[in-house]
Amino acid sequence: MTYQDLGYNDRLEAYRIQQNLDSFETGRVIAEHKERYVVKTCENEFNAELIGNLRFTAENRYDFAAVGDWVAFSEYDEGKALIHAIYPRNSIIERQAVGKSGQIQIIAANIDFGLIVQAVDRDFNLNRLERYLTICNASNVAPVIVLNKIDLISKTELESIKDRIKQRISDILVFTVSHQTAGYKDLESFIKKGNTYCLLGSSGVGKSTLLNNLSGQLQMKTGEISSSVNKGKHTTSHRELIVLNNGGILIDNPGMREVGIADTTSGLETTFETIFEYAQNCRFKDCTHLHEKGCAILKAVENGEIDEDSYSNFLKMEKERMYFESDARDRKKKDKDLGKMIKNVKKQRKNNKY
């Protein structure tokens, strides 16, 4: 295995030289669990953590390592290492942190393609699909739809689902697979050596089974299928990066019950391109697209030119984005005020010594 097999490229090498990181080893984070990391090189894997300076100077979640990151590290004991620097990322898949107002959660870094997995029997949901698309579009990650468990529905039902996707989502690759039937050859041929792919989807949609089939071996345990809900008991509890036999790099994720929209204006514009195009023709520049006379979007919805469900989903996500931005601004202001207060206290203590 070479570093190129892990996704290393000329951009990263130029950064290593520019930042004088020659004295450190270079590796990629392949697993993360509570600020503990597994870093992989061509020959070894290390249990690693951030050096104290990185940890204590971190201003937000972006300053911590994530699965998919390239890092500069040093080994201090057999199989143990300290991370000294995180290389610049070319993409970050993120969402709102669950239960934490105005904060983000990094799902994975340096991703080329997001494989959005939905089970067609019970999990399929176009609104949720648009959420994942928005996250990918905002993250500089190319989205790909994977419809799983197609053996559990009829061919007519499958074609109906594919038609519904085409009506609301355009120019997106769609693959159909099942653990019980053929369908992996097309997906396997799409996955290329050196590219990094991230599995995205709810719990129980078959991501781990998908990973096992693509890798040709048992990488993740999958539970038995529940007869009541037709779902496997999903056991993935952390993110992990795996190099496939064909050279593709795949990151598995725990199922996401909530897919909160963060600051993703660009993502919304890409996912709902048609809606934003109509918005250019609204009478008022500050149109909320809710009730104004002369709103081109409302007119298009009324005329059937914009799908009503897609419009409703857009409004919901736009509202979430606005709330997130507001919460993030408030949080930033509070952190800034706290920083000033701490600085003033330190200054007063210093003055009192003299």
Side-chain angles (χ1 to χ4, degrees):
M1 179 181 291
T2 67
Y3 277 102
Q4 284 69 32
D5 293 333
L6 286 170
Y8 197 73
N9 54 42
D10 293 340
R11 178 184 62 84
L12 295 167
E13 176 63 11
Y15 179 82
R16 185 185 71 84
I17 296 172
Q18 183 183 24
Q19 297 298 314
N20 298 315
L21 298 175
D22 302 31
S23 59
F24 299 110
E25 290 192 65
T26 299
R28 195 168 190 188
V29 177
I30 65 170
E32 173 192 1
H33 185 67
K34 294 182 179 179
E35 295 182 18
R36 295 289 188 273
Y37 309 94
V38 178
V39 176
K40 185 176 182 62
T41 65
C42 297
E43 299 176 347
N44 299 305
E45 293 182 6
F46 299 87
N47 292 315
E49 58 184 301
L50 298 178
I51 61 171
N53 187 47
L54 277 183
R55 187 186 303 276
F56 295 126
T57 59
E59 295 182 1
N60 51 50
R61 183 61 186 84
Y62 294 106
D63 295 324
F64 288 86
V67 172
D69 269 329
W70 284 92
V71 296
F73 71 94
S74 62
E75 184 179 9
Y76 68 88
D77 200 353
E78 186 176 356
K80 296 181 180 180
L82 292 173
I83 296 172
H84 293 261
I86 301 170
Y87 283 54
R89 299 152 173 154
N90 67 356
S91 63
I92 305 174
I93 298 181
E94 62 187 26
R95 66 167 175 173
Q96 279 196 54
V98 178
K100 297 180 180 180
S101 178
Q103 297 186 52
I104 60 98
Q105 176 190 14
I106 296 179
I107 297 170
N110 299 311
I111 306 300
D112 299 300
F113 296 91
L115 302 182
I116 305 169
V117 185
Q118 287 208 336
V120 293
D121 57 333
R122 292 176 181 267
D123 178 75
F124 181 74
N125 185 301
L126 269 171
N127 287 349
R128 191 184 303 121
L129 195 56
E130 285 179 333
R131 282 180 170 271
Y132 281 114
L133 285 173
T134 300
I135 288 175
C136 288
N137 289 329
S139 305
N140 193 32
V141 170
V144 176
I145 298 170
V146 181
L147 300 178
N148 197 15
K149 303 185 181 182
I150 61 172
D151 59 308
L152 298 180
I153 63 173
S154 67
K155 290 184 178 180
T156 302
E157 289 173 313
L158 178 59
E159 289 303 316
S160 174
I161 287 175
K162 291 165 73 174
D163 287 340
R164 287 166 59 194
I165 292 174
K166 287 180 182 179
Q167 289 173 11
R168 280 174 61 168
I169 303 167
S170 60
D171 300 324
I172 299 293
L173 277 174
V174 179
F175 292 96
T176 57
V177 298
S178 170
H179 180 55
Q180 305 294 334
T181 63
Y184 279 92
K185 288 185 177 180
D186 290 339
L187 183 56
E188 286 174 345
S189 64
F190 170 74
I191 295 176
K192 304 299 181 184
K193 182 177 181 179
N195 284 341
T196 302
Y197 305 79
C198 185
L199 292 173
L200 301 167
S202 306
S203 178
V205 298
K207 298 194 303 299
S208 292
T209 300
L210 187 70
L211 172 60
N212 291 338
N213 285 332
L214 288 172
S215 65
Q217 53 189 302
L218 183 62
Q219 298 283 1
M220 292 286 181
K221 292 181 180 179
T222 54
E224 70 275 13
I225 299 296
S226 168
S227 59
S228 61
V229 295
N230 287 336
K231 285 187 176 182
K233 295 180 180 179
H234 193 89
T235 55
T236 303
S237 59
H238 60 277
R239 294 169 184 83
E240 186 166 356
L241 181 151
I242 295 163
V243 180
L244 304 178
N245 291 334
N246 70 352
I249 303 162
L250 201 59
I251 294 178
D252 190 24
N253 281 288
M256 289 185 277
R257 294 180 181 177
E258 297 180 32
V259 192
I261 299 301
D263 184 9
T264 57
T265 302
S266 59
L268 286 169
E269 287 180 354
T270 304
T271 303
F272 299 97
E273 183 179 5
T274 300
I275 290 178
F276 277 89
E277 286 177 354
Y278 275 97
Q280 302 300 315
N281 299 319
C282 288
R283 178 184 295 179
F284 306 107
K285 289 184 178 180
D286 59 348
C287 184
T288 64
H289 318 302
L290 292 172
H291 47 68
E292 292 89 346
K293 291 183 178 180
C295 176
I297 291 176
L298 289 174
K299 184 177 180 181
V301 172
E302 185 179 340
N303 294 338
E305 297 167 20
I306 291 178
D307 183 271
E308 188 172 352
D309 290 334
S310 185
Y311 163 72
S312 298
N313 200 32
F314 160 74
L315 289 180
K316 186 175 181 180
M317 283 194 278
E318 173 66 6
K319 186 177 180 180
E320 285 181 32
R321 182 192 65 80
M322 293 174 66
Y323 275 127
F324 177 84
E325 285 186 341
S326 176
D327 288 342
R329 283 195 299 268
D330 290 344
R331 183 179 179 81
K332 188 174 181 180
K333 185 179 183 304
K334 288 178 181 178
D335 289 344
K336 188 176 180 180
D337 291 342
L338 179 61
K340 285 182 178 179
M341 184 183 73
I342 293 173
K343 188 176 180 179
N344 288 333
V345 170
K346 287 181 177 179
K347 187 176 180 179
Q348 289 175 2
R349 286 180 177 177
K350 186 177 179 180
N351 290 335
N352 291 335
K353 287 182 179 180
Y354 297 102

PDB file of all heavy atoms in Angstrom, residues 116-129:
ATOM      1  N   ILE A 116     -25.385   8.462  -0.585  1.00  0.00           N
ATOM      2  CA  ILE A 116     -26.596   8.616   0.235  1.00  0.00           C
ATOM      3  C   ILE A 116     -27.434   7.358   0.089  1.00  0.00           C
ATOM      4  O   ILE A 116     -28.015   7.094  -0.965  1.00  0.00           O
ATOM      5  CB  ILE A 116     -27.401   9.848  -0.210  1.00  0.00           C
ATOM      6  CG1 ILE A 116     -26.517  11.099  -0.183  1.00  0.00           C
ATOM      7  CG2 ILE A 116     -28.614  10.038   0.681  1.00  0.00           C
ATOM      8  CD1 ILE A 116     -27.142  12.298  -0.853  1.00  0.00           C
ATOM      9  N   VAL A 117     -27.481   6.565   1.162  1.00  0.00           N
ATOM     10  CA  VAL A 117     -28.138   5.256   1.115  1.00  0.00           C
ATOM     11  C   VAL A 117     -29.535   5.352   1.716  1.00  0.00           C
ATOM     12  O   VAL A 117     -29.709   5.838   2.835  1.00  0.00           O
ATOM     13  CB  VAL A 117     -27.312   4.199   1.881  1.00  0.00           C
ATOM     14  CG1 VAL A 117     -27.942   2.811   1.714  1.00  0.00           C
ATOM     15  CG2 VAL A 117     -25.863   4.201   1.398  1.00  0.00           C
ATOM     16  N   GLN A 118     -30.517   4.879   0.961  1.00  0.00           N
ATOM     17  CA  GLN A 118     -31.880   4.774   1.480  1.00  0.00           C
ATOM     18  C   GLN A 118     -32.440   3.400   1.132  1.00  0.00           C
ATOM     19  O   GLN A 118     -32.257   2.913   0.013  1.00  0.00           O
ATOM     20  CB  GLN A 118     -32.783   5.867   0.900  1.00  0.00           C
ATOM     21  CG  GLN A 118     -32.503   7.250   1.459  1.00  0.00           C
ATOM     22  CD  GLN A 118     -33.744   8.143   1.430  1.00  0.00           C
ATOM     23  OE1 GLN A 118     -34.666   7.946   0.652  1.00  0.00           O
ATOM     24  NE2 GLN A 118     -33.769   9.139   2.300  1.00  0.00           N
ATOM     25  N   ALA A 119     -33.081   2.777   2.117  1.00  0.00           N
ATOM     26  CA  ALA A 119     -33.753   1.509   1.882  1.00  0.00           C
ATOM     27  C   ALA A 119     -35.119   1.792   1.263  1.00  0.00           C
ATOM     28  O   ALA A 119     -35.863   2.632   1.765  1.00  0.00           O
ATOM     29  CB  ALA A 119     -33.914   0.740   3.195  1.00  0.00           C
ATOM     30  N   VAL A 120     -35.423   1.104   0.180  1.00  0.00           N
ATOM     31  CA  VAL A 120     -36.641   1.443  -0.572  1.00  0.00           C
ATOM     32  C   VAL A 120     -37.900   0.876   0.052  1.00  0.00           C
ATOM     33  O   VAL A 120     -39.016   1.295  -0.303  1.00  0.00           O
ATOM     34  CB  VAL A 120     -36.541   0.931  -2.026  1.00  0.00           C
ATOM     35  CG1 VAL A 120     -35.456   1.672  -2.783  1.00  0.00           C
ATOM     36  CG2 VAL A 120     -36.286  -0.579  -2.074  1.00  0.00           C
ATOM     37  N   ASP A 121     -37.775  -0.060   1.007  1.00  0.00           N
ATOM     38  CA  ASP A 121     -38.990  -0.682   1.548  1.00  0.00           C
ATOM     39  C   ASP A 121     -39.713   0.203   2.547  1.00  0.00           C
ATOM     40  O   ASP A 121     -40.908   0.428   2.452  1.00  0.00           O
ATOM     41  CB  ASP A 121     -38.671  -2.035   2.185  1.00  0.00           C
ATOM     42  CG  ASP A 121     -37.620  -1.932   3.277  1.00  0.00           C
ATOM     43  OD1 ASP A 121     -36.797  -1.010   3.203  1.00  0.00           O
ATOM     44  OD2 ASP A 121     -37.630  -2.780   4.202  1.00  0.00           O
ATOM     45  N   ARG A 122     -38.970   0.787   3.514  1.00  0.00           N
ATOM     46  CA  ARG A 122     -39.618   1.596   4.547  1.00  0.00           C
ATOM     47  C   ARG A 122     -38.931   2.937   4.767  1.00  0.00           C
ATOM     48  O   ARG A 122     -39.564   3.902   5.153  1.00  0.00           O
ATOM     49  CB  ARG A 122     -39.658   0.823   5.883  1.00  0.00           C
ATOM     50  CG  ARG A 122     -40.575  -0.387   5.861  1.00  0.00           C
ATOM     51  CD  ARG A 122     -40.478  -1.149   7.174  1.00  0.00           C
ATOM     52  NE  ARG A 122     -41.322  -2.333   7.167  1.00  0.00           N
ATOM     53  CZ  ARG A 122     -42.568  -2.362   7.619  1.00  0.00           C
ATOM     54  NH1 ARG A 122     -43.113  -1.269   8.111  1.00  0.00           N
ATOM     55  NH2 ARG A 122     -43.273  -3.479   7.585  1.00  0.00           N
ATOM     56  N   ASP A 123     -37.641   3.008   4.539  1.00  0.00           N
ATOM     57  CA  ASP A 123     -36.886   4.224   4.867  1.00  0.00           C
ATOM     58  C   ASP A 123     -37.001   5.312   3.813  1.00  0.00           C
ATOM     59  O   ASP A 123     -36.768   6.473   4.104  1.00  0.00           O
ATOM     60  CB  ASP A 123     -35.399   3.864   5.057  1.00  0.00           C
ATOM     61  CG  ASP A 123     -34.543   5.091   5.355  1.00  0.00           C
ATOM     62  OD1 ASP A 123     -34.609   5.587   6.495  1.00  0.00           O
ATOM     63  OD2 ASP A 123     -33.822   5.550   4.454  1.00  0.00           O
ATOM     64  N   PHE A 124     -37.381   4.974   2.580  1.00  0.00           N
ATOM     65  CA  PHE A 124     -37.312   5.952   1.500  1.00  0.00           C
ATOM     66  C   PHE A 124     -38.137   7.201   1.813  1.00  0.00           C
ATOM     67  O   PHE A 124     -39.307   7.131   2.150  1.00  0.00           O
ATOM     68  CB  PHE A 124     -37.805   5.351   0.183  1.00  0.00           C
ATOM     69  CG  PHE A 124     -37.718   6.320  -0.958  1.00  0.00           C
ATOM     70  CD1 PHE A 124     -36.496   6.635  -1.523  1.00  0.00           C
ATOM     71  CD2 PHE A 124     -38.861   6.948  -1.435  1.00  0.00           C
ATOM     72  CE1 PHE A 124     -36.407   7.547  -2.552  1.00  0.00           C
ATOM     73  CE2 PHE A 124     -38.780   7.863  -2.466  1.00  0.00           C
ATOM     74  CZ  PHE A 124     -37.550   8.163  -3.027  1.00  0.00           C
ATOM     75  N   ASN A 125     -37.451   8.346   1.705  1.00  0.00           N
ATOM     76  CA  ASN A 125     -38.088   9.615   2.041  1.00  0.00           C
ATOM     77  C   ASN A 125     -37.420  10.715   1.225  1.00  0.00           C
ATOM     78  O   ASN A 125     -36.249  11.015   1.426  1.00  0.00           O
ATOM     79  CB  ASN A 125     -37.935   9.879   3.552  1.00  0.00           C
ATOM     80  CG  ASN A 125     -38.654  11.116   4.018  1.00  0.00           C
ATOM     81  OD1 ASN A 125     -38.383  12.210   3.544  1.00  0.00           O
ATOM     82  ND2 ASN A 125     -39.563  10.946   4.965  1.00  0.00           N
ATOM     83  N   LEU A 126     -38.154  11.316   0.314  1.00  0.00           N
ATOM     84  CA  LEU A 126     -37.589  12.342  -0.562  1.00  0.00           C
ATOM     85  C   LEU A 126     -37.151  13.584   0.201  1.00  0.00           C
ATOM     86  O   LEU A 126     -36.142  14.201  -0.147  1.00  0.00           O
ATOM     87  CB  LEU A 126     -38.614  12.719  -1.638  1.00  0.00           C
ATOM     88  CG  LEU A 126     -38.550  11.918  -2.941  1.00  0.00           C
ATOM     89  CD1 LEU A 126     -39.745  12.239  -3.819  1.00  0.00           C
ATOM     90  CD2 LEU A 126     -37.252  12.195  -3.690  1.00  0.00           C
ATOM     91  N   ASN A 127     -37.892  13.960   1.220  1.00  0.00           N
ATOM     92  CA  ASN A 127     -37.505  15.130   2.015  1.00  0.00           C
ATOM     93  C   ASN A 127     -36.142  14.916   2.687  1.00  0.00           C
ATOM     94  O   ASN A 127     -35.286  15.801   2.679  1.00  0.00           O
ATOM     95  CB  ASN A 127     -38.552  15.433   3.078  1.00  0.00           C
ATOM     96  CG  ASN A 127     -39.816  16.026   2.485  1.00  0.00           C
ATOM     97  OD1 ASN A 127     -39.844  16.402   1.320  1.00  0.00           O
ATOM     98  ND2 ASN A 127     -40.864  16.111   3.276  1.00  0.00           N
ATOM     99  N   ARG A 128     -35.953  13.718   3.261  1.00  0.00           N
ATOM    100  CA  ARG A 128     -34.675  13.416   3.893  1.00  0.00           C
ATOM    101  C   ARG A 128     -33.564  13.336   2.857  1.00  0.00           C
ATOM    102  O   ARG A 128     -32.433  13.762   3.099  1.00  0.00           O
ATOM    103  CB  ARG A 128     -34.763  12.106   4.676  1.00  0.00           C
ATOM    104  CG  ARG A 128     -33.538  11.877   5.584  1.00  0.00           C
ATOM    105  CD  ARG A 128     -33.567  10.538   6.282  1.00  0.00           C
ATOM    106  NE  ARG A 128     -34.774  10.394   7.072  1.00  0.00           N
ATOM    107  CZ  ARG A 128     -35.659   9.425   6.896  1.00  0.00           C
ATOM    108  NH1 ARG A 128     -35.472   8.534   5.951  1.00  0.00           N
ATOM    109  NH2 ARG A 128     -36.726   9.368   7.653  1.00  0.00           N
ATOM    110  N   LEU A 129     -33.902  12.818   1.702  1.00  0.00           N
ATOM    111  CA  LEU A 129     -32.926  12.732   0.606  1.00  0.00           C
ATOM    112  C   LEU A 129     -32.432  14.123   0.222  1.00  0.00           C
ATOM    113  O   LEU A 129     -31.230  14.346   0.023  1.00  0.00           O
ATOM    114  CB  LEU A 129     -33.574  12.047  -0.598  1.00  0.00           C
ATOM    115  CG  LEU A 129     -32.652  11.547  -1.714  1.00  0.00           C
ATOM    116  CD1 LEU A 129     -31.598  10.592  -1.179  1.00  0.00           C
ATOM    117  CD2 LEU A 129     -33.475  10.874  -2.797  1.00  0.00           C
TER     118      LEU A 129
END
